[in-house]
Amino acid sequence: MRNMTLKQLRYFEALAQHGHFGRAASACAISQPALSVQIMELEKSLGTDLFERGRRQVRLTNFGEEFASRVRPILQSVEELGELARASTDRLVGRLRIGIIPTIAPYLLPAIISNLTRMNSDIDIQVRETMTPTLVEELSEGRLDAAIVALPVSEPSLTEIALFDENFVLVRPERDAGKPVPDHEDLREMKLLLLEEGHCFRDQALSFCNIQSTRPREILDASSLATLVQMVGAGLGVTLIPEMAIAVETRAAPVSISRFAAPEPARTIGMIWRKTSPLSKQLTEISGVVRGSAGNHGHR
């Protein structure tokens, strides 16, 4: 068997993750034919197929599944060698792969990137926006250096640093601006518009209202806070959004904003990274930049 290359293993991992040659090639910043050639060369050197190739997607073979379970820790170890080199300097240089959840990204990301690049012009920031379970998985597998999420995550292998707390506000149609603010009991009887399943913000809103997610309700779900606010503006119901989203999401919608009586619903925003990361010192410093980027959004 000829020697496998790290490049081939990285391409294999990308294809295993995306299940599609085009998407995997895009993620690796190479052409699809080049990726295909490298995968075939890897299979040839192993003497067996790693993937079942369909018309629209590819799947790992049984051997491919076993191979993938061995490849991931190898690639993670290689990444940590690179982190070890970066950790030898006082400031973070080179690539920073940071994840962030969708209910934070549009509102804080511009300030975070601006402040990080002002602090260190040599940093190459790569952002991944997706939901918390995916971020935790990619962080654990070494595909991300850190992530900005709502805490707690409660993953034993990860360090959690709380940065700030942020209240939720009620969004109602503009015509309801003068009405009394409902409490969580009243909200249970209203048409509450929520983000779709998988968003931690949905679970936080349901928890405040003491509503079981499996409870049959006449409800409309959305994939973004922007869509929720527009739905409220159209008179379809009410919703909750975090304070940081107010300025962006309500400027072009006929809605009113109200604050709840104490204790107000809230979330804790923080940063997470692997406890084994050699970059822990630098990531702790970056967490301070993220906290400062929040400005007036949070309080802690």
Side-chain angles (χ1 to χ4, degrees):
M1 184 180 71
R2 290 181 300 175
N3 290 334
M4 294 173 286
T5 67
L6 279 173
K7 180 186 294 184
Q8 288 174 337
L9 295 183
R10 289 192 176 101
Y11 292 167
F12 164 80
E13 171 69 6
L15 186 55
Q17 178 188 352
H18 293 280
H20 186 276
F21 274 97
R23 290 193 291 271
S26 177
C28 295
I30 62 170
S31 69
Q32 184 171 329
L35 177 75
S36 182
V37 166
Q38 289 295 322
I39 295 297
M40 286 190 291
E41 286 292 322
L42 179 60
E43 289 178 323
K44 184 177 178 181
S45 70
L46 292 167
T48 188
D49 289 340
L50 293 166
F51 296 95
E52 298 176 17
R53 292 157 170 84
R55 291 182 62 186
R56 296 186 177 180
Q57 102 181 90
V58 295
R59 292 182 177 87
L60 287 166
T61 62
N62 288 340
F63 174 75
E65 292 278 4
E66 177 66 20
F67 189 74
S69 69
R70 306 294 181 91
V71 166
R72 290 184 186 113
I74 292 171
L75 292 178
Q76 183 172 341
S77 295
V78 172
E79 290 291 341
E80 288 182 353
L81 286 175
E83 290 177 1
L84 193 62
R86 287 190 287 160
S88 66
T89 63
D90 290 334
R91 62 176 188 167
L92 185 61
V93 296
R95 181 184 61 183
L96 172 65
R97 302 165 302 170
I98 191 162
I100 188 167
I101 57 176
T103 56
I104 298 176
Y107 320 112
L108 285 192
L109 201 53
I112 291 171
I113 292 175
S114 175
N115 290 335
L116 284 176
T117 52
R118 187 182 303 115
M119 179 185 76
N120 185 356
S121 59
D122 296 325
I123 198 169
D124 174 22
I125 303 170
Q126 299 177 7
V127 178
R128 168 82 159 123
E129 180 188 348
T130 188
M131 289 183 279
T132 301
T134 303
L135 292 177
V136 169
E137 177 184 352
E138 295 184 2
L139 195 56
S140 299
E141 293 177 355
R143 299 204 294 270
L144 291 172
D145 297 313
I148 302 168
V149 297
L151 299 180
V153 171
S154 302
E155 174 58 50
S157 65
L158 300 179
T159 294
E160 296 186 7
I161 300 292
L163 301 179
F164 61 91
D165 296 327
E166 178 189 34
N167 291 332
F168 303 160
V169 297
L170 177 67
V171 185
R172 295 185 288 183
E174 202 169 38
R175 64 176 180 271
D176 294 341
K179 294 182 179 179
V181 178
D183 59 20
H184 62 92
E185 293 291 340
D186 296 328
L187 280 175
R188 298 179 65 180
E189 307 306 320
M190 303 174 75
K191 184 183 286 187
L192 182 62
L193 309 179
L194 298 172
L195 291 174
E196 61 192 0
E197 293 280 357
H199 287 272
C200 57
F201 189 79
R202 172 193 176 93
D203 299 331
Q204 292 157 351
L206 288 171
S207 176
F208 171 67
C209 300
N210 196 22
I211 297 172
Q212 299 298 318
S213 59
T214 55
R215 173 184 170 186
R217 300 169 65 243
E218 183 186 0
I219 196 165
L220 295 171
D221 294 341
S223 61
S224 70
L225 295 178
T227 301
L228 284 180
V229 173
Q230 293 299 324
M231 289 163 67
V232 172
L236 298 181
V238 301
T239 194
L240 277 64
I241 64 172
E243 282 184 292
M244 69 173 67
I246 294 174
V248 172
E249 304 302 355
T250 64
R251 61 190 174 193
V255 297
S256 64
I257 299 296
S258 302
R259 296 188 177 276
F260 293 98
E264 299 178 65
R267 64 178 179 177
T268 299
I269 304 301
M271 247 179 76
I272 56 175
W273 58 83
R274 294 183 303 281
K275 287 181 177 178
T276 57
S277 174
L279 297 173
S280 292
K281 176 184 175 182
Q282 288 88 341
L283 292 173
T284 299
E285 293 175 359
I286 287 172
S287 72
V289 177
V290 174
R291 179 187 287 113
S293 301
N296 296 324
H297 291 308
H299 52 87
R300 174 173 279 269

